[in-house]
DNA sequence: AATCAATACATAGCTAATCTATGTGTAGTC
DNA sequence: GACTACACATAGATTAGCTATGTATTGATT
């Protein structure tokens, strides 16, 4: 089964941007980030755990995020991620690039 | 060098769609397809040869394209690619998926 | 008390797409 | 004769995201 209509894998290369954007709201733990993206996208995007945690780690290494263990509202331990200044800057760049990219693609697919 | 502002690599997963769309105009050879996408996108998208030819081969295997050797207007031999009915159908599906995907992403990046 | 669903993190291994780099060869121009 | 643009092709590397799996905790249901 190829499952073309899968909710995940929406547009490769955009996951980091979605996570960074979500963290502009407030520091959040991984599971919460995934839930948020899923809800705001109206179930169109499902962030798989096997994509989420590696991405969070990559972005920490790049200095876009910091994290610390803390208590989630449900009393469970959870690692909370916080956007850094570099992360905010990166988000701005990625959003700008994304807009340029979809404009360019739409020029092609709307061409006569 | 990472060259973030590179014109290529615009949005992974969209190359097939751009090629299929280009071939709705008329059968074209590989080099011509690349030129067309580059021009219509106003130089925002540059299709690398190392991406183009493998993609054309994949899509032929999937039955979305057929091809034959022919003469280009400049008198050189060139392989002309033609969209099949399956290719047209695939293009429609990809465009629909693309629109849904960018809508979902924009909901996330425009969220308050 | 036992079981199950939801919450929460993490990693190994695979696949697929695209890139870089390289190679071949032709036609036209300077 | 050299150079540029045209034209196709493949090998190898990189990267992102997936599937699958494992651990552990909390709260609800039976």
């Amino acid at each position: 089964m190829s499952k073309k209509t899968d909710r995940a894998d929406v547009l490769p290369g955009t996951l980091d941007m979605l996570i960074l954007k979500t963290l502009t709201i407030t520091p959040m733990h991984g599971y919460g980030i995934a839930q948020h993206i899923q809800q705001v996208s109206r179930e169109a995007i499902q962030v798989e755990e096997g994509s989420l945690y590696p991405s969070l780690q990559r972005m920490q290494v790049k200095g876009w995020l910091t994290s610390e263990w803390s208590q989630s509202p449900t009393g469970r331990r959870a690692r909370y991620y916080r956007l850094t200044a570099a992360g905010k800057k990166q988000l701005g760049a990625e959003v700008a690039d994304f807009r340029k990219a979809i404009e360019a693609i739409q020029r092609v697919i709307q061409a006569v």
Side-chain angles (χ1 to χ4, degrees), chain A:
Chain A
M1 280 294 172
S2 63
K3 303 226 289 172
K4 271 295 293 170
T5 329
D6 221 323
R7 282 96 47 89
D9 183 34
V10 183
L11 269 183
T14 58
L15 179 60
D16 287 2
M17 178 176 71
L18 300 182
I19 294 173
L20 291 172
K21 172 64 190 180
T22 298
L23 290 175
T24 60
I25 303 168
T26 185
M28 238 179 265
H29 61 271
Y31 196 87
I33 294 167
Q35 297 285 302
H36 177 261
I37 292 174
Q38 193 168 335
Q39 284 161 21
V40 175
S41 72
R42 294 180 209 161
E43 316 303 318
I45 305 170
Q46 172 163 0
V47 182
E48 302 296 334
E49 294 179 302
S51 310
L52 175 67
Y53 294 106
S55 168
L56 288 168
Q57 285 168 17
R58 282 196 301 270
M59 292 199 284
Q60 276 192 100
V61 170
K62 288 172 181 165
W64 302 341
L65 306 178
T66 56
S67 74
E68 53 186 0
W69 285 104
S70 186
Q71 290 292 313
S72 86
T74 54
R76 237 179 249 90
R77 94 191 190 307
R79 185 176 281 281
Y80 277 74
Y81 295 88
R82 179 186 301 272
L83 204 57
T84 65
K88 285 191 189 97
K89 196 176 162 192
Q90 177 65 21
L91 173 59
E94 288 198 21
V95 170
D97 285 350
F98 175 75
R99 293 198 203 284
K100 276 182 206 154
I102 60 174
E103 275 167 30
I105 290 169
Q106 279 173 337
R107 262 179 238 130
V108 177
I109 64 178
Q110 283 159 13
V112 187

